[in-house]
Amino acid sequence: MSSNADTVPVFHTVSELRSWRSDQRKQGKTVGLVPTMGALHNGHLTLVSAAQQSCDTTVVSIFVNPAQFAPHEDLDQYPRTLPQDIQKIAETQANCVVFAPLVSEMYPNGITTDRSKQKGTFVEVLGLSEMLEGGSRPHFFRGVATVVSKLFHIVMPEMAFFGQKDVQQCCVIKNLVADLLFPIKLNIVPTVRDPVDGLALSSRNVYLTEEQRAKAPALYRGLCAAQKLYSQGITGREELIGAVAAEAAQENLDIEYICLSSPDTLEELDSVPSSGAILSSAWRMGKTRLIDNVLIGFEF
């Protein structure tokens, strides 16, 4: 264990974290988990705040998970800002620890981004992982489910906190918890946005040029336009998706997908049922890929 920013214990090994967790259990303390890949922003810190309000102590994991990346993706370039991240957590002035393991701790058999060459144990949530984001990133949710399962086993939290921005991830993990019988309560926290233009906060926003950053909020404007149509009684897929596409077209954005999906199965819907729907979109701006979504007719 090391200590950074004066007040935050930082654990780098599984054995250190488990020893700390054993002490928390003996003291009768509840533990919340906020899994992150670092490069923390206000969206992450909102999750930390939610955990602090619900649990006696909070583990913030910071780990850039190789299994979530394909060979052609940005694993090497992904922002790594551990000292700054620890400082931000220290400034929350609450009972937190950081778990920042090495890759060798999380993948004892080693790990490569080439899925065909990976060895060891992996976790898949079939039926959900192939939808939406899984269309262009078939490896991604296998990596998510695997690393989250490992973190659940290591930390053994009573609660875990995830952001709605990664809505498909939330659906996948919800099923993971149910199927593998983890005794953990999931808390889905609403997306944190730029207070001026509504762009969803993301670690990858730093990749945007000034011109791209100015155009990026068009997708959220489109999602909001679709929500407004729904509030006026319009439930059809074509109209709702069309509202998003029209806003994006004004900025000539490169849309990868716009989907109206079931919250339970993520299957495409022709219209919004009484149980509600997820309206989500992914788009590219230069080399940067951004995602966003709104919930229509339901809440997590």
Side-chain angles (χ1 to χ4, degrees):
M1 183 186 79
S2 61
S3 182
N4 289 273
D6 298 328
T7 58
V8 181
V10 181
F11 303 102
H12 297 286
T13 69
V14 172
S15 61
E16 289 173 338
L17 193 285
R18 283 181 166 161
S19 177
W20 171 87
R21 181 64 180 93
S22 178
D23 288 340
Q24 300 303 300
R25 185 180 297 107
K26 291 174 183 176
Q27 296 174 45
K29 292 185 176 181
T30 57
V31 173
L33 171 65
V34 179
T36 84
M37 292 210 301
L40 301 186
H41 50 65
N42 284 340
H44 296 111
L45 298 179
T46 298
L47 297 178
V48 174
S49 177
Q52 291 168 338
Q53 292 173 32
S54 301
C55 304
D56 294 323
T57 189
T58 299
V59 176
V60 181
S61 65
I62 298 176
F63 179 66
V64 180
N65 179 27
Q68 290 173 221
F69 294 79
H72 66 280
E73 292 181 334
D74 60 345
L75 175 60
D76 291 338
Q77 289 75 39
Y78 195 87
R80 291 165 170 83
T81 56
L82 184 60
Q84 296 94 319
D85 293 342
I86 293 170
Q87 180 62 43
K88 289 177 181 179
I89 294 170
E91 290 170 358
T92 65
Q93 299 296 316
N95 193 12
C96 284
V97 302
V98 170
F99 180 46
L102 298 174
V103 172
S104 58
E105 284 287 309
M106 298 300 285
Y107 292 97
N109 290 314
I111 185 69
T112 172
T113 57
D114 185 343
R115 182 170 173 172
S116 68
K117 297 179 180 178
Q118 290 175 349
K119 297 179 181 180
T121 304
F122 294 85
V123 180
E124 290 187 88
V125 179
L126 301 178
L128 294 177
S129 298
E130 303 86 354
M131 313 298 284
L132 304 177
E133 292 292 294
S136 61
R137 307 185 74 195
H139 56 284
F140 181 73
F141 290 107
R142 180 174 183 258
V144 168
T146 297
V147 78
V148 169
S149 295
K150 290 172 182 275
L151 289 169
F152 284 172
H153 280 300
I154 295 165
V155 178
M156 292 185 288
E158 279 78 15
M159 297 184 185
F161 297 78
F162 296 87
Q164 182 197 315
K165 184 184 78 69
D166 300 304
V167 69
Q168 185 174 2
Q169 174 175 278
C170 295
C171 294
V172 167
I173 293 171
K174 179 182 176 182
N175 278 264
L176 171 76
V177 167
D179 287 346
L180 296 187
L181 308 177
F182 283 111
I184 296 170
K185 179 183 177 183
L186 293 185
N187 293 264
I188 310 302
V189 179
T191 301
V192 180
R193 301 183 177 278
D194 184 286
V196 176
D197 59 26
L199 181 67
L201 300 189
S202 169
S203 298
R204 286 188 168 93
N205 287 355
V206 299
Y207 297 160
L208 297 173
T209 66
E210 185 175 342
E211 180 181 2
Q212 290 167 346
R213 177 61 183 80
K215 292 183 176 182
L219 258 293
Y220 182 55
R221 291 198 300 270
L223 292 169
C224 289
Q227 276 190 316
K228 184 176 181 180
L229 289 179
Y230 176 76
S231 71
Q232 295 170 349
I234 296 174
T235 62
R237 176 181 181 277
E238 270 191 39
E239 294 89 344
L240 298 178
I241 286 181
V244 183
E247 192 69 42
Q250 291 189 24
E251 298 289 358
N252 294 316
L253 297 184
D254 181 11
I255 300 297
E256 192 168 290
Y257 68 76
I258 307 172
C259 289
L260 185 72
S261 309
S262 162
D264 296 321
T265 66
L266 297 180
E267 293 176 347
E268 280 282 320
L269 299 170
D270 291 327
S271 62
V272 181
S274 59
S275 56
I278 297 168
L279 184 62
S280 59
S281 185
W283 68 99
R284 290 189 178 275
M285 306 197 73
K287 297 181 179 179
T288 306
R289 186 173 183 277
L290 301 177
I291 60 173
D292 203 352
N293 68 85
V294 292
L295 308 182
I296 296 181
F298 86 103
E299 296 180 356
F300 276 115

